Amino acid sequence: MELTKFGHACVRLEKDGRRLVIDPGGLTGPDVLEGADAVLVTHEHFDHFSEEVLRKAAAEHPGLRIWTNSSVAGKLDGIGTQVVATGDGDAFSAAGFDIRVHGAWHAVIHPDIPRIPNIGFMVDDALFHPGDALTVPSAPVGTLLLPVHAPWSTVGDLIDYVREVAPRDAIAVHDGALNDVGTAMVAGFLGDRGPGIPASYRRLATHASVQIA
């Protein structure tokens, strides 16, 4: 399948003429949903979920299906069968892609900030998008979409996370708040100059694509 990055935490996957979009939020242009057959949403934060954009897309494309956690599904009330609530341990097919759900909660930002639901999606037993959490799936990961910058993590956390998941490849996501200096610093720690992770690390420019085995 082909992966295209659409800014910050959003990616589009294409296979056999079908399109699956993960986390089209407020930092992503609505063009990502053009031709989309299915959408996965990890959680309700604005940079991963735009109620307005998804309601508009669902109205314009009755065949579009959206899978997400129960909290986000509640915010899309009224769309009907186009929205399906799912959770940890579930497995389903979305536009011809095999999906397995891992995790239940957003990472802890601070003890005084309530946690919200967050689910990660394993696609075709090949690629994992954890959303805003460092969830370790109970299955091998070929390509990990790694959230490289967030108020709930450090570079040290990322190194330990990649070591535990042990993917073949790690592709940066959740990097919309980093400037060039920040992205270079992260790459220095996660790349060949860092302490070492069991994966090749790379960052894609917006609208850049790569083949996922």
Side-chain angles (χ1 to χ4, degrees):
M1 59 184 163
E2 182 181 73
L3 177 148
T4 303
K5 185 177 179 182
F6 277 81
H8 196 55
C10 179
V11 299
R12 184 180 70 198
L13 304 174
E14 297 185 65
K15 181 183 71 173
D16 299 330
R18 299 184 296 273
R19 289 182 170 183
L20 171 69
V21 177
I22 306 178
D23 280 4
L27 300 179
T28 305
D31 59 312
V32 68
L33 292 176
E34 292 179 3
D37 301 291
V39 176
L40 309 178
V41 180
T42 62
H43 67 288
E44 64 196 63
H45 283 161
F46 87 97
D47 51 336
H48 296 255
F49 165 61
S50 171
E51 178 181 348
E52 178 183 0
V53 168
L54 285 182
R55 283 188 179 276
K56 184 174 184 294
E60 293 176 349
H61 307 286
L64 182 69
R65 294 293 180 267
I66 303 165
W67 280 265
T68 185
N69 62 47
S70 57
S71 178
V72 175
K75 296 178 183 299
L76 293 171
D77 183 51
I79 295 181
T81 57
Q82 285 182 263
V83 178
V84 181
T86 187
D88 184 40
D90 289 348
F92 55 90
S93 178
F97 294 84
D98 293 326
I99 312 297
R100 292 186 180 274
V101 182
H102 297 269
W105 293 102
H106 191 287
V108 175
I109 300 173
H110 187 274
D112 292 343
I113 299 176
R115 296 177 76 183
I116 61 171
N118 176 96
I119 53 178
F121 297 104
M122 180 81 81
V123 181
D124 282 353
D125 292 324
L127 176 144
F128 184 60
H129 192 316
D132 273 10
L134 300 181
T135 301
V136 178
S138 58
V141 176
T143 298
L144 173 66
L145 299 184
L146 181 64
V148 299
H149 179 255
W152 42 265
S153 72
T154 67
V155 171
D157 293 331
L158 300 180
I159 292 170
D160 290 342
Y161 179 54
V162 178
R163 287 178 176 179
E164 187 171 3
V165 175
R168 180 187 63 252
D169 302 301
I171 297 177
V173 293
H174 214 277
D175 54 1
L178 288 176
N179 59 19
D180 291 342
V181 174
T183 56
M185 289 177 63
V186 171
F189 284 106
L190 297 176
D192 295 338
R193 291 172 292 156
I197 58 174
S200 65
Y201 171 78
R202 57 183 154 174
R203 178 177 182 262
L204 300 177
T206 296
H207 295 156
S209 300
V210 65
Q211 293 293 322
I212 302 297

